[in-house]
Amino acid sequence: MTKTVNAEVFYWWCTALMIAIHAGFLAYEMGASRAKNALASGLKNLLAFAFLIPAFYFFGWWIYLAFPTGFTISDAASGGVAWSESMGPNLGDNASGIFWAAFTLFAATTASIMSGAVIERIRMSAFTILAIILGGFVWILGASWGWHPEGWLTTTWGFHDIGAAGAVHMVAGFFTLGVLINLGPRLGRFNADGSVNHIAGHNMPMSLIGLMLIVMGFFGFLGGCILYNGGTWMTIYNTPTTLSAFAFNTLMGVAGGMIGSYLVTRDPFWMMSGALIGVISSAPGLDVYYPPLAFLISFIGGCVIPKLADMLLTRFKIDDAVGAVAVHGLGGVWGLLAVGIFAAGYPNVNGPAISFSGQFMSMLVFAALGFLPGFVASYGLKIVGLLRTDPKVELAGLDVAEVPVKAYPEASTIPAFTGGEALSPAE
């Protein structure tokens, strides 16, 4: 019983640490917004967090248990229905609630990944609907397929992703890409000739603090990726591991991504985003990498991903306000492929050994699973006129329309917030 309670306590604190991720997203997205949109950007995160808890209780956990083999409902699904004995106080079950809580925070993370990309022009109601679809349904289907000991991607192709770079980051990143295509760029982002205007957030220090909080929260996130039975540590695939392996490679990944992004941009925002790139790049193989290899993989990601974010903006005209598609979506792609390159041949408990082809095909599955629902759902909202705010509201600032209080009520007396500086040159 002591071992059981110790396991329960471990996941309790993992869940608490993951809440720091959402405090971080809240801060860095508000800082990355112009002052006229600060509270609306933050409020989206709070709404996603609140709505996803009941959504994941009534639907999400059941999906994870139901569909590991594809679209055939597993017998284990009965433990995830809302009226199951496992889904409430039960002195004979010390596991279900605590695992549900951790997965609920994973779900909220997917919504927060999307949240930053769409700031300053999406309707609050549209974002909330999309967040529920992504966090309550889409990502957890991918988790059931590839982040479950019986998931068909693992048992068929030998898929390996112990830190959820695919199920969480890739799915959320590609879902976000589908939304951004329909949402369109912020007013003033591009000139008539296609050239790009820089739109600066109003508080870079707030963004940097928020990003550092996300890095701290990742230790809870990755701790929640480990199975602890009171005596030994196992990955989500029931292969052996240790917390020491995670400690070595998580920190080396953070450092590699930060250094790489700093060297290619000299931008403090991208330096801290590089920490996220580093964690995501090394996450799939935290259990097997030699720490300098984790550093190298993350360093490469930190160097390349900011350039890909620039390409999405300048060449494809995707206005991703915080680079979420590149950091999470493309960072997840690199992380999954890196395992196929550097850990090929490592055995799985179920299914074939890790291979590049298995990782590549699984990566395509996650990309499609994220992009298609994101595009279709946002296109539907666009058709009925619910996706984007009115241009007049966007110019005035979403806080005026969406929030009954002001972020900076004394702003009229502060020069930094007066004189039209909240607008881009094209506006």
Side-chain angles (χ1 to χ4, degrees):
M1 189 62 192
T2 299
K3 290 181 178 181
T4 299
V5 171
N6 284 343
E8 196 172 24
V9 169
F10 175 78
Y11 293 109
W12 173 272
W13 291 116
C14 284
T15 303
L17 264 178
M18 276 193 277
I19 294 176
I21 291 177
H22 302 286
F25 274 115
L26 180 74
Y28 107 81
E29 290 173 25
M30 288 194 295
S33 301
R34 288 166 288 184
K36 62 181 181 178
N37 298 310
L39 287 179
S41 296
L43 188 58
K44 290 196 290 65
N45 278 282
L46 298 176
L47 285 172
F49 183 82
F51 274 94
L52 276 170
I53 293 171
F56 205 78
Y57 180 85
F58 288 110
F59 307 108
W61 191 231
W62 179 84
I63 291 172
Y64 180 72
L65 297 177
F67 297 113
T69 58
F71 290 107
T72 302
I73 298 176
S74 168
D75 292 339
S78 60
V81 294
W83 53 86
S84 166
E85 290 184 354
S86 298
M87 296 300 287
N90 183 345
L91 294 178
D93 185 349
N94 293 66
S96 294
I98 212 71
F99 279 114
W100 167 82
F103 272 71
T104 300
L105 268 294
F106 295 142
T109 298
T110 64
S112 292
I113 289 168
M114 175 181 61
S115 176
V118 299
I119 56 174
E120 302 197 306
R121 74 273 205 199
I122 196 170
R123 287 180 181 267
M124 201 78 72
S125 55
F127 169 77
T128 303
I129 292 168
L130 292 169
I132 292 171
I133 293 171
L134 172 58
F137 296 91
V138 176
W139 91 272
I140 194 61
L141 182 60
S144 187
W145 291 352
W147 205 49
H148 185 293
E150 304 297 331
W152 70 268
L153 294 179
T154 296
T155 59
T156 305
W157 293 337
F159 179 66
H160 191 83
D161 178 23
I162 59 98
V168 171
H169 299 284
M170 258 201 75
V171 169
F174 280 86
F175 187 99
T176 299
L177 176 60
V179 172
L180 288 172
I181 291 172
N182 289 310
L183 182 63
R186 288 168 287 180
L187 294 177
R189 187 56 154 149
F190 300 104
N191 295 308
D193 62 0
S195 59
V196 179
N197 289 309
H198 177 63
I199 299 179
H202 81 288
N203 195 329
M204 177 69 77
M206 181 186 291
S207 289
L208 297 181
I209 292 169
L211 286 162
M212 200 66 183
L213 280 172
I214 296 173
V215 173
M216 182 183 79
F218 257 107
F219 282 84
F221 181 103
L222 294 172
C225 298
I226 306 174
L227 301 179
Y228 176 57
N229 63 14
T232 59
W233 300 94
M234 309 291 285
T235 71
I236 198 76
Y237 305 111
N238 290 322
T239 54
T241 190
T242 64
L243 275 180
S244 289
F246 276 53
F248 278 127
N249 290 325
T250 300
L251 286 176
M252 291 293 268
V254 167
M258 290 179 74
I259 293 170
S261 291
Y262 175 72
L263 290 178
V264 298
T265 68
R266 305 288 178 176
D267 183 336
F269 180 85
W270 271 107
M271 181 186 182
M272 283 311 305
S273 295
L276 306 187
I277 295 169
V279 172
I280 296 163
S281 297
S282 55
L286 289 175
D287 57 329
V288 297
Y289 286 149
Y290 175 49
L293 177 59
F295 179 90
L296 176 63
I297 290 169
S298 299
F299 176 80
I300 293 171
C303 291
V304 173
I305 298 301
K307 299 300 182 183
L308 296 179
D310 287 341
M311 185 182 299
L312 286 171
L313 176 63
T314 58
R315 182 173 298 181
F316 298 101
K317 308 304 179 187
I318 301 295
D319 182 16
D320 180 346
V322 296
V325 172
V327 171
H328 298 273
L330 301 181
V333 168
W334 167 233
L336 296 187
L337 296 183
V339 170
I341 297 169
F342 296 107
Y346 189 82
N348 284 303
V349 172
N350 294 319
I354 299 170
S355 67
F356 182 80
S357 61
Q359 295 296 115
F360 180 79
M361 291 186 293
S362 299
M363 178 271 292
L364 294 179
V365 170
F366 281 122
L369 179 63
F371 179 80
L372 293 175
F375 183 86
V376 171
S378 59
Y379 183 75
L381 290 169
K382 179 181 179 180
I383 290 298
V384 297
L386 295 178
L387 182 62
R388 185 163 178 150
T389 58
D390 185 274
K392 293 181 180 179
V393 172
E394 186 175 344
L395 286 171
L398 271 66
D399 284 6
V400 173
E402 302 274 16
V403 187
V405 296
K406 292 183 178 180
Y408 303 100
E410 73 282 14
S412 60
T413 64
I414 301 175
F417 295 115
T418 60
E421 293 183 25
L423 305 178
S424 77
E427 292 176 282

